[in-house]
Amino acid sequence: MTGRFITIEGIEGVGKSTNVDFVAEHFRVLGETVQVTREPGGTPMAERIRDLILSANRDELSDLGELVLMFAARAEHLESLIKPALERGETVICDRFTDATFAYQGGGRGLDPAIIDNLRLAVQGALQPNLTVLLDAPIEVSAERIAGRAWQDRFEQEQAEFFGRVRAVYLEIAAREPERVKLIDASQPLNTVQAAIKAELDRI
Ligand code: TMP
């Protein structure tokens, strides 16, 4: 595969959407064909799975069911969108990917990372993002933004301790894989955050 696969990660409210757009624009200006997508979701079927997950009440869906649905959505997304685009040599920018599963289902829900890793291997084999931008901020920043939302999905309804565990796993992944995962302090002003992201994009 000749394309480039870039993922953006972080807890809610750290400015992922704004920075996904920023990364996409960076590569468009370079003349690359860019696919901007997200997980769970990105294809019609995966978006239906996303709706199922995010609209489920806490007691309607088990933690294991949630994990498997995340990978079901990912399998569809990989087969119909991500892999074909990478094979055509395009740049794929994805708002969240498998690091989110380790962080939310592993850290947040407390599921065994070995089970997650088995599913990862079954669904994506050796495919990994070329670069992952991890936007990190204290959970208070995220809690404040979520509190202002009229409707809160299955994850947004979780408490601070949940997001503390999610954030801790993200930071562990960044420490373990510093070549792939670039940790950016998202509590800085937006132009400082974007200058830091740009420096990483320029390197690849
Ligand atoms: P978002 O599109 O607003 O980021 O919402 C997606 C939610 O799904 C978010 O709360 C994180 C969660 N999520 C997981 O729990 N596991 C995953 O593997 C992915 C991709 C997302």
Side-chain angles (χ1 to χ4, degrees):
M1 291 191 210
T2 53
R4 229 197 283 269
F5 184 28
I6 296 172
T7 60
I8 319 288
E9 297 278 2
I11 57 175
E12 359 287 286
V14 292
K16 260 182 320 102
S17 313
T18 311
N19 289 306
V20 164
D21 294 343
F22 175 77
V23 173
E25 193 52 27
H26 173 93
F27 288 107
R28 280 194 198 106
V29 167
L30 294 177
E32 297 187 14
T33 302
V34 177
Q35 299 278 351
V36 178
T37 186
R38 68 171 178 182
E39 288 214 342
T43 70
M45 176 52 78
E47 289 289 332
R48 282 164 69 185
I49 299 172
R50 175 192 177 92
D51 288 344
L52 266 182
I53 300 170
L54 295 186
S55 65
N57 293 330
R58 194 64 195 90
D59 54 2
E60 250 180 341
L61 177 61
S62 66
D63 293 346
L64 190 59
E66 179 184 282
L67 170 68
V68 174
L69 285 177
M70 289 293 176
F71 273 105
R74 183 161 299 136
E76 292 310 303
H77 193 205
L78 278 165
E79 294 312 314
S80 12
L81 192 153
I82 297 176
K83 284 187 190 168
L86 294 177
E87 275 157 11
R88 291 192 300 267
E90 296 173 7
T91 296
V92 177
I93 298 161
C94 193
D95 183 339
R96 299 189 186 281
F97 193 61
T98 307
D99 295 319
T101 315
F102 283 99
Y104 284 78
Q105 280 65 51
R109 302 289 190 223
L111 291 174
D112 183 352
I115 296 176
I116 303 176
D117 213 41
N118 280 334
L119 288 166
R120 176 185 71 82
L121 272 174
V123 168
Q124 67 197 72
L127 183 77
Q128 279 281 53
N130 301 102
L131 173 74
T132 297
V133 174
L134 172 56
L135 298 168
D136 178 63
I139 56 168
E140 293 73 29
V141 172
S142 143
E144 237 170 64
R145 301 214 190 161
I146 295 170
R149 292 181 191 170
W151 183 80
Q152 296 178 340
D153 70 31
R154 182 174 163 88
F155 294 101
E156 291 166 344
Q157 290 166 16
E158 289 293 340
Q159 304 303 311
E161 299 77 52
F162 178 90
F163 291 105
R165 295 194 299 274
V166 172
R167 183 186 183 207
V169 171
Y170 270 138
L171 292 174
E172 275 170 35
I173 298 171
R176 202 168 55 228
E177 294 183 65
E179 274 308 301
R180 173 177 69 87
V181 183
K182 302 301 174 187
L183 180 65
I184 309 271
D185 176 1
S187 61
Q188 306 172 96
L190 185 61
N191 58 354
T192 312
V193 171
Q194 293 188 335
I197 296 173
K198 189 176 183 312
E200 297 301 342
L201 299 179
D202 286 341
R203 279 177 2 102
I204 61 159

